[in-house]
Amino acid sequence: MSNVIISVKDLVKTYGDFKAVKSISFDVNEGEIFGLLGPNGAGKSTTLEIIETLRTKTSGKINVAGYDLDSHPSEIKKIIGVQLQTSGFYPGLNLVELIKMFSGLYNRDVNPIELLTKVNLADKAKSKSKELSGGQKQRFSIATTLINKPKIIFLDEPTTGLDPQARRNLWDLIREIRASGTTVIITTHYMDEAEQLCDRIAIMDQGKIIKLDSPDKMIDELVETGFERPKQVKSANLEDVFIHLTGREIREE
Ligand code: ADP
Ligand code: MG
């Protein structure tokens, strides 16, 4: 049996009269990549930020790695990694200096070059964050989640706006992070990303979880109902053509 590392029970969030999250419950298992998949406005970020202790909830129970969110928020903060918006980074500091600053805030001794190497940015050590490409910014932002050696990292739409090469590169990085023992919870509105990356996904729509399972099981279940795609799908798509022509190497350097 897998160990539950995050448990969410009957979570509700209202903004004034508006119910953004309508009593959702789910568990995340230790060591998995768990996806919250849904269109804009579904309530993904709200849910994530409540678990991260960054937003208050209206009602419900949340437990993270044995800590109750209401009574032990600061214990939870210590063991999670939250992605920071690169736009908020001090513009005058280079990547090494930024990592040093954050590790100071977390009171952690981190080797900046080692961390930058992990996210394939060692050659950008002396660059400022505004000099990075979209994919590099996202990799750096993921690096900042790892500074406090967290048990769980939270990634909110990490690949939105990236080109196909940078997205694949980021998927590889997320898989590596998971392989090193970190649980990953990620939001996305890309179906292919959820299918390829996530062990299990919760499909959210209008504040509710309408389905929760592995992508494989969901697809099998739909096929079993007799569902067929309207026309025979070719064994490749335009993205395959694009990747085949342009290669998997990232272009941004
Ligand atoms: P998602 O991340 O799935 O796109 P969000 O959690 O950001 O969804 O938002 C869910 C709903 O809650 C949206 O309709 C959004 O407009 C609303 N919402 C989010 N934050 C606030 C806020 N601070 N005040 C009022 N409404 C909000
Ligand atoms: Mg969002």
Side-chain angles (χ1 to χ4, degrees):
M1 261 319 273
S2 20
N3 288 328
V4 170
I5 195 162
I6 298 175
S7 147
V8 174
K9 267 211 155 39
D10 305 323
L11 176 67
V12 172
K13 175 68 181 180
T14 54
Y15 296 110
D17 294 339
F18 178 70
K19 239 185 187 183
V21 177
K22 300 169 182 162
S23 191
I24 62 168
S25 300
F26 63 95
D27 289 340
V28 177
N29 297 324
E30 195 166 6
E32 75 178 342
I33 302 179
F34 185 90
L36 285 176
L37 175 69
N40 287 329
K44 306 182 295 296
S45 298
T46 300
T47 302
L48 221 60
E49 288 175 17
I50 290 171
I51 304 171
E52 291 166 349
T53 75
L54 300 178
R55 276 193 213 206
T56 57
K57 58 184 165 58
T58 304
S59 62
K61 273 295 197 194
I62 294 174
N63 189 290
V64 181
Y67 296 110
D68 183 83
L69 184 98
D70 296 320
S71 52
H72 292 85
S74 55
E75 298 303 324
I76 294 177
K77 274 188 196 128
K78 280 184 207 152
I79 55 154
I80 64 171
V82 174
Q83 223 183 346
L84 305 161
Q85 291 303 311
T86 39
S87 54
F89 292 160
Y90 290 83
L93 300 183
N94 68 36
L95 301 193
V96 167
E97 291 163 341
L98 282 168
I99 291 173
K100 283 187 179 155
M101 186 192 76
F102 289 126
S103 46
L105 290 177
Y106 285 122
N107 207 7
R108 287 275 187 166
D109 200 15
V110 171
N111 180 332
I113 297 296
E114 216 170 85
L115 185 58
L116 289 174
T117 304
K118 202 181 238 178
V119 298
N120 202 11
L121 282 176
D123 55 334
K124 297 284 168 188
K126 293 276 154 47
S127 304
K128 310 221 157 74
S129 67
K130 63 170 188 241
E131 294 159 0
L132 303 178
S133 70
Q136 290 168 336
K137 274 193 185 123
Q138 283 296 353
R139 293 211 299 278
F140 183 64
S141 158
I142 289 176
T144 65
T145 70
L146 300 174
I147 288 172
N148 62 337
K149 302 196 168 61
K151 282 190 179 175
I152 311 163
I153 62 167
F154 294 78
L155 305 174
D156 197 356
E157 295 194 13
T159 68
T160 296
L162 300 185
D163 67 37
Q165 282 88 359
R167 290 180 69 208
R168 279 168 174 68
N169 183 263
L170 219 65
W171 295 349
D172 289 341
L173 173 62
I174 294 167
R175 289 189 188 107
E176 280 164 29
I177 292 170
R178 186 266 293 276
S180 73
T182 309
T183 304
V184 179
I185 170 162
I186 178 174
T187 72
T188 181
H189 53 248
Y190 295 121
M191 304 302 143
D192 59 335
E193 179 161 294
E195 189 177 341
Q196 298 222 14
L197 197 60
C198 298
D199 299 304
R200 292 189 310 140
I201 53 183
I203 299 183
M204 274 192 91
D205 193 25
Q206 297 181 2
K208 289 192 179 138
I209 290 179
I210 52 177
K211 187 88 186 161
L212 195 163
D213 216 328
S214 69
D216 228 30
K217 283 221 186 91
M218 286 190 198
I219 294 166
D220 287 349
E221 239 177 63
L222 180 64
V223 171
E224 271 165 28
T225 66
F227 176 90
E228 268 181 64
R229 284 194 173 182
K231 64 176 182 200
Q232 183 59 41
V233 176
K234 296 177 187 177
S235 51
N237 63 20
L238 186 58
E239 182 154 331
D240 297 323
V241 173
F242 181 79
I243 292 290
H244 184 72
L245 289 172
T246 60
R248 283 195 57 144
E249 304 82 50
I250 28 181
R251 286 309 123 76
E252 55 207 14
E253 272 82 23

